[in-house]
Amino acid sequence: MTSQTSPMKIGVLLSGSGTNLQAIIDVIAKEDLPIEIVHVVSSRPDAYGITRAEEAGIPVTVLNRDVYADTLAADQLIVDAMRTAGAEYIVMAGYMRKLTPVVLDAFPDHVLNLHPALLPSFKGAHAIQDAWDAGVKVTGVTVHLANEDYDKGPIVAQRAVEVAENDTVESLEAHIHQVEHELYPWVLRAFVEGRVSIDENRKVHIDIAEA
C-alpha cells in the first residue's frame, strides 16, 4: 500500500452522540490529518452526531426505523450516498446496526469498525458493562475491518485500558472513550499513509517504522 497524495475520503456511519466523529473532525483540523469526511449517515433521526456533522459542514443522510424494515434496501441507500460522495473508506463510529454484504461487498476491506473491548473478548453491544461484570483488570479498544460476522473481522489495532480499583463502570466507560478518540484517528492516519497491509492469512499489519 502506498501513501496517498490527496486527502483520503471517508464516510462515517453513526447512531448516537457522535463523539468519535467529533474526534476525527478535531484531529483533521488540528493535526493536518489528510482526510476528508465526505458524508455522514445516521441510523437515527435524533442522534446528536447529526448536529456535529452539520456544524462541520458535512452532508448528512438520516435514516430511521421504517427505512430499516428492509435492511438490504437501507444498506443500498448507504452505498449510493457514499459512492455519490466519493467515499473510499466507510468508518463506523458508534453505528448500532449490522452491515449486510450490500455495503461490505461495495467497499471490500474498506469498512472500519470501533469496538469498546479487546476483541475477541466481550463482543456485542454491551461490551463495557460485560467486561465490568466479569471483573477483568484490563479491557480496551479494538479497531477492526468489518465483515459479515459481528465483531469478528480482522483486527487492525488495539489499545489496553486498565480497570483501576477505584473505577466505576461510568469512569471506565469515560476512559475507554478517551482511548477510542485517540486510536481511531491514529489508525486512519496509518491507512492514509499507506502503512496498513493484509497478509494471506487475513492478518492486518501496520508498519510503524515511518510513524
Side-chain angles (χ1 to χ4, degrees):
M1 199 176 275
T2 58
S3 179
Q4 296 195 190
T5 57
S6 58
M8 183 174 78
K9 296 182 178 181
I10 67 169
V12 176
L13 307 182
L14 56 83
S15 300
S17 63
T19 59
N20 278 294
L21 168 66
Q22 189 65 57
I24 296 169
I25 290 171
D26 292 345
V27 172
I28 290 171
K30 295 177 182 178
E31 299 183 16
D32 193 30
L33 180 63
I35 285 176
E36 179 185 359
I37 304 172
V38 295
H39 205 84
V40 167
V41 172
S42 173
S43 67
R44 293 171 46 190
D46 61 344
Y48 187 68
I50 297 169
T51 300
R52 295 182 188 274
E54 291 174 342
E55 289 179 347
I58 303 168
V60 183
T61 294
V62 180
L63 307 181
N64 56 42
R65 185 173 297 181
D66 292 340
V67 175
Y68 283 102
D70 185 337
T71 56
L72 296 180
D75 276 7
Q76 188 60 55
L77 289 174
I78 292 172
V79 169
D80 293 344
M82 294 303 183
R83 281 180 168 167
T84 298
E88 300 167 79
Y89 280 83
I90 305 299
V91 175
M92 301 169 71
Y95 184 70
M96 301 307 292
R97 289 184 174 271
K98 184 179 179 180
L99 292 176
T100 69
V102 172
V103 174
L104 299 173
D105 292 347
F107 296 90
D109 290 333
H110 281 58
V111 181
L112 291 167
N113 186 41
L114 184 71
H115 186 73
L118 294 176
L119 293 175
S121 298
F122 307 115
K123 299 175 183 177
H126 308 289
I128 298 174
Q129 185 68 53
D130 290 345
W132 175 262
D133 291 344
V136 298
K137 302 305 181 184
V138 176
T139 183
V141 176
T142 301
V143 177
H144 67 98
L145 295 174
N147 62 14
E148 293 184 58
D149 295 320
Y150 198 69
D151 291 337
K152 200 176 179 181
I155 292 171
V156 178
Q158 292 181 308
R159 282 191 189 171
V161 175
E162 181 180 356
V163 183
E165 289 298 326
N166 61 346
D167 261 332
T168 63
V169 68
E170 292 79 14
S171 65
L172 175 61
E173 183 174 4
H175 296 156
I176 286 174
H177 288 330
Q178 181 180 1
V179 173
E180 288 176 350
H181 300 162
E182 297 169 356
L183 184 60
Y184 228 172
W186 183 87
V187 167
L188 291 173
R189 186 181 295 278
F191 271 95
V192 78
E193 292 177 353
R195 295 187 283 110
V196 182
S197 60
I198 306 173
D199 68 22
E200 64 277 8
N201 297 313
R202 301 290 296 159
K203 290 186 178 181
V204 179
H205 304 273
I206 298 179
D207 181 5
I208 62 172
E210 303 172 34

